[in-house]
Amino acid sequence: MMDPKTPFEDSSNFDSFMFNSSSRRSGVAAQSRSNSIQEVGFGHSGSTRVRYGSKGVDSEALSMSQKEISDEDARLVYVDDPERTNERLEFAGNSIRTAKYSIITFLPRNLFEQFHRVAYIYFLVIAVLNQLPQLAVFGRGVSILPLAIVLLVTAVKDAYEDWRRHNSDKIENNRLAWVLVNGVFQQKKWKDVRVGEVIKISANETIPCDIVLLSTSDPTGVAYVQTINLDGESNLKTRYAKQETQSKLPEKEMLNGLIKCEKPNRNIYGFQGNMEVDGKRLSLGSSNIVLRGCELKNTNWAHGVAVYCGCETKAMLNSSGAPSKRSLLETRMNSEIIMLSLFLVVLCTVSSVCAAVWLKRHKGELNLLPYYRKLDVSKGVEDSYKYYGWGLEILFTFLMAVIVYQVMIPISLYISMELVRVGQAYFMIGDTRMYDKATNSRFQCRALNINEDLGQIKYVFSDKTGTLTENKMEFQCASILGFDYSSATDSLENEQVEYSVQADGKIIKPKMMVKVNQELLQLSKSGFANKEGKQIYDFFLALAACNTIVPLLVDTSDPMVKLIDYQGESPDEQSLTYAAAAYGFMLIERTSGHIVIDIHGERQRFNVLGLHEFDSDRKRMSVILGYNNNSVKLFVKGADTSMLSVIDKSLNTDILQATETHLHSYSSVGLRTLVIGMRDLNVSEFEQWHSDFEAASTALIGRAAMLRKVASNVENNLCILGATAIEDKLQQGVPEAIESLRTAGIKVWVLTGDKQETAISIGYSSKLLTSNMTQIIINTNNRESCRRRLQDALVISRNQRAVSRVTHNSDGSSDAVSISAPLALIIDGTSLVYILDSELEEELFDLATRCSVVLCCRVAPLQKAGIVALVKNRTDDMTLAIGDGANDVSMIQMADVGVGISGQEGRQAVMASDFAMGQFRFLVPLLLIHGHWNYQRLGYMIIYNFYRNAIFVLVLFWYVLLTTFTLTTAINEWSSMLYSIIYTALPTIVVGILDKDLSKRTLLKNPQLYGAGLRHEAYNKKLFWLAMADTLWQSIAVFFTPLIAYWGTTVDVASIGDLWTLSVVILVNLHLAMDVIRWSWIIHAVIWGSIVATLICVMIIDAIPAFPGYWAIFHVAGTGVFWLCLLGIVIAALLPRFVVKYIYQYYFPSDIQISREAEKYGNPRDNGSGQIEMLPVSDAPPR
């Protein structure tokens, strides 16, 4: 079936007509040489994406034009009278601003945004506390330095980006446009254009604001625009000026009019309003408005009146971007940060309690101690000296401990994660495996904050058309009069025919050739010789006329030959139009009032009296054509379910049954089907339709619903002409990609608008469905039936699981799953209507999670988002949605990770996505390679950062315990502050970007390795506590080894502090080096370079006389004990880790470690045909 696109509000509207009969309407004149309808706003909307007034609305936030508007909600625009327009309410000017800051607001606003991170507030509080004299542990400037550096780096980055935005805004606002001033067009800067002014646009110029067309260079009022700057679509769209304003040139005659339209909103695909001109009230729809950023093409000039300017234009209202998402790893990391915060509180509490006990025990000695003398008589007056009483001393000790141990919360971790993600994105973008040659497009990383989520995806929700398939339609079969004319039935007789016509001495050919059935081609040439010929004539006429295709002539290398290119937003329509041309019905010209079709060399003109576009309620479209003999016919095409309900079943019962049989056979092999029907309209029927349509199209309240009702009233009692079948081929590598994803433990669900048989056929060809699967089909049309089917299906699934469990327990085998066939759930959109948002949701979720495959057919866009939410809201598993069209946007934004395919249906999905690519098969390297790497690297980096900071804090803590809890530190204050920023930051960032635990080849060959991310092997609470236990031991080794070695000597505090600093830096870098898998010169440089850099910094700090510990490193490093201590610390600290690591990898290896060994040394059992035995990917019940 053809995936129904969005309806076009104000579809087919004509404002004046003359019907050649005894009945004439007053005040209406003929507009052309034929006595028929002329000005037709036939429905070529800017895009067919937003579904109105149905369950298929893509986004609730998109539009006010989907809602009914009242007079209070309307905007009044006086044509060519900006003063009066802006008199009551001053509308926004046309100046735009995408920059976030000004010189005045930059500092406060940027700081406000940065301090949204709680960790920054924590470090700010620490810095403020350190400024108090009673709590000053470090120098006041030093304590601010780490936070200041982080804030400064981010501020500089933000300032540079905003400076670029300011420059872009300046260029945009100073562009020039021709504006009507006192009857003459004058140039104005874009920023000075006002609502109500009339603007002249020339060919290839960009539209400066949202304008309602008044007239164009085309006599029929048509203008062609390109919306590539707005939605990425390169196909030309048609827009129309009303005939009442088309004949009036603003330079020559005064144009007085009032436009009443909806207030500014984000819906770029809808517009409602009306215009009063010369006492007439004309309806305005999305075919009459051209949006800012569009370009005028194939039209010499166009006049329009500005209705929305600047920040109120639809393009600017849509510039907010996709909603931000947070990675699962970062969310889980918060719990560990809370634990570290609690650990920090414990350390501070221990320090303060111990200090309190010590003060109580030594209260009689405080007069003799330098830091606790009660009295100061140096000035002759008794005064307290550095002692504030027992209670305050405990409080101050606690706060000082917070300052000393502040690095327990790693401030550098956030910056490190951002830099690592940028580096990972660079390599993802540059991966040639994800480069699409067909579209010359590289992988796009549009959201940098969720790279690691790609390694933990459990559910993939995929659209079918354009995502699994190419969305390049090929006409394959036609069923006419109950006969199947299939282009595949006899391949010897069928060939691609190049049909051509002569015009003005030149040959015109369709741009795309179509394989035709020779028998049908001969019958199509017979004309009206018999009834069969007439039916075939009407069938192909419907294919050529019932669409919104715009034919354009394209030059070729031969000046005598021109190609006709059918521009349209729907690949289905393009395919059917090319098919009609191949059979001799070539669409040559389309204007707002008529079409010209070359029928086997004879050009015929048909007046377009009306057109109703597709909508998600009717699932069909129709066109009303006026013939030269004054007869009127209605042609309708649509999905079989919607068309068969409006076919007159009393006519041609045999043909109808044969057609239904053909439809089933077409869809069973994966073809997309459409049914074609028609009927004659007599004078009274046509006039009734015209009256109803005119009333509906000029209504400001409920227009969309009224237009659908008018369409439904006329689309009935049809005579069936036949059916078409179009092949949408699978993209290259889709079956292999789905198989790899499923092997990796990822569940693939397909959500499509196609009919059930088509979806099942594509499911088999894509290897989503297999012959050994038990299919559970739910396609009911009431709630009770849905409930029964769900309950029956749950019984089946539980019985199968019970069989597997019993088999597993009886013989201990791990392949018990093979005893019971995997389940595949197939459910349609009608059933989902009764299930979603009801008590049946829980049962559907229970059933779906027990199934290996879920296939949803006939689903509307919001139902797609509902299915994603069904899983996302009930489980901690990560979800990914992938699609290519605007009807996938809600699904993409609902999922944890959204992937857009830059395909045939524009770029709406890409613009709403987190990642974008050209083919579905690129999902395999994206998840199995980059997702795996990103998750492994960031998971390790977070735990390493916790370890790196905790070991430093624990060394400080041990020192406090042995120095009467005074919160003095042996480590220089500058080294304390530079530790996380300079001494140890760079190695973890570089390793996080470059290290690879396994090669691409191994990861692709063994998709089961992806299960490491699903089992959270790289980051979990067990690893966190093991790292903390290791940290505790290493801190003991670092602190007590020098203490024992220098016990009883005269070494000073600064010297042993330098030793502790160097030993910690060396230790954490060697710890990192032990875990590096893929060494490169850059990793060597940063790890060993950091150690050297630390030594140099310590030497520089100790060489400054103003700092305490002057020349300490030079004294202590000249002894052999110093270097023996360094060696002893490294051995003592890392030996337990080395032993545990060896035992774990040798006796309890993971899949990754086994694969790494096989990759490094070769696996004797794997000579290319065998497989490494992997752990089963856990399919734990949802939490």
Side-chain angles (χ1 to χ4, degrees), residues 1020-1038:
N1020 52 58
K1021 282 185 167 51
K1022 178 184 174 183
L1023 283 177
F1024 172 77
W1025 289 115
L1026 283 174
M1028 291 301 102
D1030 190 26
T1031 303
L1032 182 63
W1033 164 252
Q1034 291 190 26
S1035 69
I1036 292 172
V1038 169

Side-chain angles (χ1 to χ4, degrees), residues 566-582:
Y566 291 133
Q567 291 272 326
E569 299 167 48
S570 167
D572 300 79
E573 285 193 342
Q574 289 175 306
S575 173
L576 294 176
T577 311
Y578 278 117

Side-chain angles (χ1 to χ4, degrees), residues 100-101 104-117 120-121 124 147-156 158:
K100 292 170 62 177
Y101 313 107
I104 298 173
T105 63
F106 174 75
L107 192 60
R109 184 172 177 183
N110 186 260
L111 288 175
F112 177 76
E113 289 176 352
Q114 291 200 57
F115 278 107
H116 272 72
R117 277 184 166 159
Y120 287 10
I121 297 176
L124 178 64
L147 181 61
I149 291 176
V150 171
L151 294 175
L152 179 64
V153 170
T154 306
V156 169
D158 292 343

Side-chain angles (χ1 to χ4, degrees), residues 153-169:
V153 170
T154 306
V156 169
K157 175 183 74 72
D158 292 343
Y160 174 70
E161 290 177 352
D162 208 57
W163 174 75
R164 293 178 62 185
R165 284 193 287 264
H166 272 290
N167 285 343
S168 176
D169 292 345

Side-chain angles (χ1 to χ4, degrees), residues 298 508 551-555 562-565 588:
N298 292 10
I508 301 178
L552 296 177
L553 289 179
V554 181
D555 293 329
K562 287 185 177 292
L563 296 179
I564 192 162
D565 182 13
I588 298 294

